[in-house]
Amino acid sequence: MMRRRLLAPTVAALLVATGAGCADQASGFGSDGRLDVVTAFYPLQFLSERVGADAVAVTQLTKPGAEPHDVELNTRQVAEISEAGLVVYLKGFQPAVDEAVAQEAKDKSLDVSTAVQLLPAEEHEEEHAAGEPEHTEGATDPHVWLDPVRFAAIAGKLAERLGQADPPRAAGYTERAATLQRELTALDAEYTKTLKSCARREVVTSHTAFHYLADRYGLTEVGITGISPESEPSPQRLAEVAELAKSTGTTTIFFETLVSPKVAETLAREVGARTAVLDPLEGLTEPDTDYFSVMRSNLTALTTALGCTS
């Protein structure tokens, strides 16, 4: 799918500058014997650390709290990709990472989108980010980690791929993935039970990052903008969402941690609703939080907003 800026300078130029990696790292293992795993952004870091545990050394390409869509790679990061034993990424989400993987880590990478069926991206025809081409038909929504069931499937695929890169420790990867999958199944059960009986089922968000979550639990996501967090809604779109919010008795307009809340606040004032955070988990912003704690905070926010009684 489309994303924003491409690398400047190009990955190829960076590889020349770094000598295309160091010979002593060609094996993909560090001096401590651990497999070097490079991950594109937080959910994949979390998954790799849980499945890999002490057998891997995990590096993330997106700084904590940074917007992952627009990541650009520096010389050191390109070298890390070149030297990694495994690169874990989501093709189509971060163009700079896609380019680096294609040039330097094609045979030692895992595109997690191959583990599950992705949903189509939702865009609104009348809006797109300034300077960005309009949405391409057939593009997919990348936010797959917000569905615990699909995320569990990715965990299993990651364990398989880690075992291929590091056969002596394959059993450990499989065992830890199974433990994580049980935890994700329990999280799915919590969401299913809590969201079963709610006064409302429409979730109004600043942009459509929660399609997978809504699809899994029978909710309807209403995005002020489409899949791109940098898009600006047209007056027509704002009017449409405001009318829907009023007709459904929406009490909460959600915005994200890494995106300006201004549009959500404007709509909330118009319809007499409040605003609250629904975290897409693209990058942690608070210390002492992880995938599970944020997902449960999201569930609490949804329970309040939707008037759930389970």
Side-chain angles (χ1 to χ4, degrees), residues 145-231:
W145 57 89
L146 292 170
D147 175 358
V149 177
R150 285 181 169 90
F151 204 43
I154 292 173
K157 185 68 173 181
L158 175 60
E160 178 185 332
R161 192 66 183 82
L162 287 170
Q164 293 171 357
D166 184 15
R169 291 182 282 208
Y173 296 130
T174 300
E175 181 179 352
R176 287 186 291 272
T179 298
L180 178 57
Q181 287 172 323
R182 287 192 291 272
E183 293 178 39
L184 289 167
T185 298
L187 178 65
D188 171 56
E190 289 179 37
Y191 264 81
T192 300
K193 179 181 179 181
T194 303
L195 299 177
K196 184 177 181 179
S197 301
C198 302
R200 295 167 294 279
R201 305 206 71 78
E202 295 80 16
V203 182
V204 181
T205 61
S206 56
H207 91 281
T208 53
F210 300 91
H211 188 184
Y212 288 94
L213 189 151
D215 181 73
R216 176 61 59 186
Y217 302 109
L219 305 176
T220 299
E221 182 183 21
V222 180
I224 301 173
T225 63
I227 198 72
S228 169
E230 295 179 0
S231 297

